Amino acid sequence: MSLGLLVAIVIGGIVLVVLTVHRSGGSAQALLDDAGAAIVEFGKAYPALPIRDVVLTADRRAAFLRLADQQTGFVQAHGRHTIARLLQGGAVHVSAGPEARSLAIDFKETTFKGGVFVFASAEDAAEVSLWLIGSLIAARDEERPSRGENADA
């Protein structure tokens, strides 16, 4: 067998494998099709937490969820999988993004991928920032002793 024929067979095999993986969806990226998909994914991880509202990012790669207890949930697509997380107050750093409808979010205590999240509108970005502030306030209120308790005891 000549070297040229062997190289052609190997290259043809590689092309066939790449095309097969691509057609089967093996290289597909997970997206959150709608708010319902985000609710289902978050519900798998946290079934006891009631959800009040959902805001998707413009690219549908992440969703922020407002929970009934003033906490904020987060679902993000990673490759072919999605990851759900409950955002604890003080565990994120939020700042304005480069455009009015974006937020720059840094997840402090995790390997979760942060970055700039662009929303469909500036109102959505403002709403999510308010949810995150509410999570921070709720966490601080839980840490403070009530007025009837003696803090020095």
Side-chain angles (χ1 to χ4, degrees), residues 45-131:
Y46 301 97
L49 296 177
I51 299 168
R52 287 194 175 172
D53 200 3
V54 178
V55 173
L56 293 168
T57 57
D59 63 1
R60 299 180 324 179
R61 307 250 334 123
F64 292 84
L65 300 94
R66 179 179 175 217
L67 307 178
D69 61 357
Q70 301 304 318
Q71 292 186 17
T72 304
F74 180 70
V75 177
Q76 187 173 29
H78 282 280
R80 293 178 43 149
H81 304 284
T82 55
I83 298 171
R85 171 124 197 241
L86 185 62
L87 300 178
Q88 301 296 329
V92 296
H93 178 264
V94 181
S95 59
E99 52 186 289
R101 61 186 188 116
S102 65
L103 294 173
I105 301 176
D106 177 34
F107 300 100
K108 295 179 185 177
E109 300 173 3
T110 183
T111 59
F112 232 37
K113 183 180 178 184
V116 175
F117 295 90
V118 179
F119 297 91
S121 67
E123 290 80 13
D124 285 348
E127 187 73 21
V128 169
S129 67
L130 288 174
W131 296 350

Side-chain angles (χ1 to χ4, degrees), residues 10 13 29 47 56 73 107-108 114 122 145-146 150 152:
V10 169
Q29 295 289 316
L56 293 168
F107 300 100
K108 295 179 185 177
S146 65
N150 185 354
D152 294 330

